[in-house]
Amino acid sequence: MSAMPSARPRIPARIPVLAAATVAASVLLPGMSPGAQAATAGEQALKVAAAKQGSPYQYGATGPNRFDCSGLTLYSFKRIGKQLPRTAADQYNATRHLSAGSRQVGDLVFFHSGSNVYHVGIYAGNNRIWHAPKPGRTVGLEKIWTGSVWYGRVR
């Protein structure tokens, strides 16, 4: 039997111990590089939502195992101590509205038809959102599929 390769990163012996620990921590904890700023509330909520990947959609569900779109955003922000109303439209009304150019990872993305907000997700960067899409689908990361969106930041 051959030995299984180690999952740990290989660090050359000539690197000081502190530097080696920093490299290992950045591999094991992405985003925790030296000088990294504390995560915003939106970034924290995004991590909560991403951890629910694969959870089934269910209309009216607010977690912890099944979600509709606004139920996922409600659950994700509630887990980090922020309050949101129940529906996507009410969540839009409760956020600070932003332009697309001002959006940041962790902001909410509201899909609308005219003045009717019908869907919400959490912005993940690169024009993608974490969301609970529709019956028969599961929580996942998806590209924003329309230009009919508004952005809001949870206060």
Side-chain angles (χ1 to χ4, degrees):
M1 272 181 106
S2 63
M4 294 291 293
S6 172
R8 289 178 281 165
R10 302 193 103 201
I11 302 169
R14 66 181 180 269
I15 297 178
V17 173
L18 183 56
T22 302
V23 169
S26 67
V27 169
L28 298 173
L29 301 169
M32 297 303 292
S33 60
Q37 296 178 347
T40 65
E43 290 167 334
Q44 292 173 36
L46 179 70
K47 288 178 184 178
V48 173
K52 292 301 179 177
Q53 180 175 17
S55 296
Y57 178 95
Q58 180 179 329
Y59 181 79
T62 60
N65 300 313
R66 296 176 177 272
F67 301 91
D68 68 8
C69 67
S70 57
L72 178 64
T73 54
L74 173 74
Y75 176 87
S76 300
F77 278 92
K78 185 176 182 180
R79 289 290 304 239
I80 58 123
K82 296 285 186 178
Q83 300 242 335
L84 280 175
R86 176 62 188 93
T87 67
D90 287 342
Q91 289 178 7
Y92 177 72
N93 290 330
T95 59
R96 183 165 56 93
H97 302 163
L98 309 165
S99 67
S102 299
R103 70 186 178 186
Q104 296 176 357
V105 169
D107 287 335
L108 295 180
V109 181
F110 297 95
F111 295 76
H112 66 93
S113 176
S115 62
N116 178 42
V117 172
Y118 65 87
H119 188 67
V120 62
I122 303 176
Y123 188 65
N126 296 320
N127 208 38
R128 299 181 308 166
I129 59 166
W130 280 99
H131 69 140
K134 61 184 179 181
R137 300 268 313 275
T138 60
V139 170
L141 183 63
E142 189 169 347
K143 184 178 178 187
I144 296 172
W145 58 90
T146 178
S148 295
V149 294
W150 293 323
Y151 299 93
R153 185 163 298 149
V154 176
R155 302 170 205 244

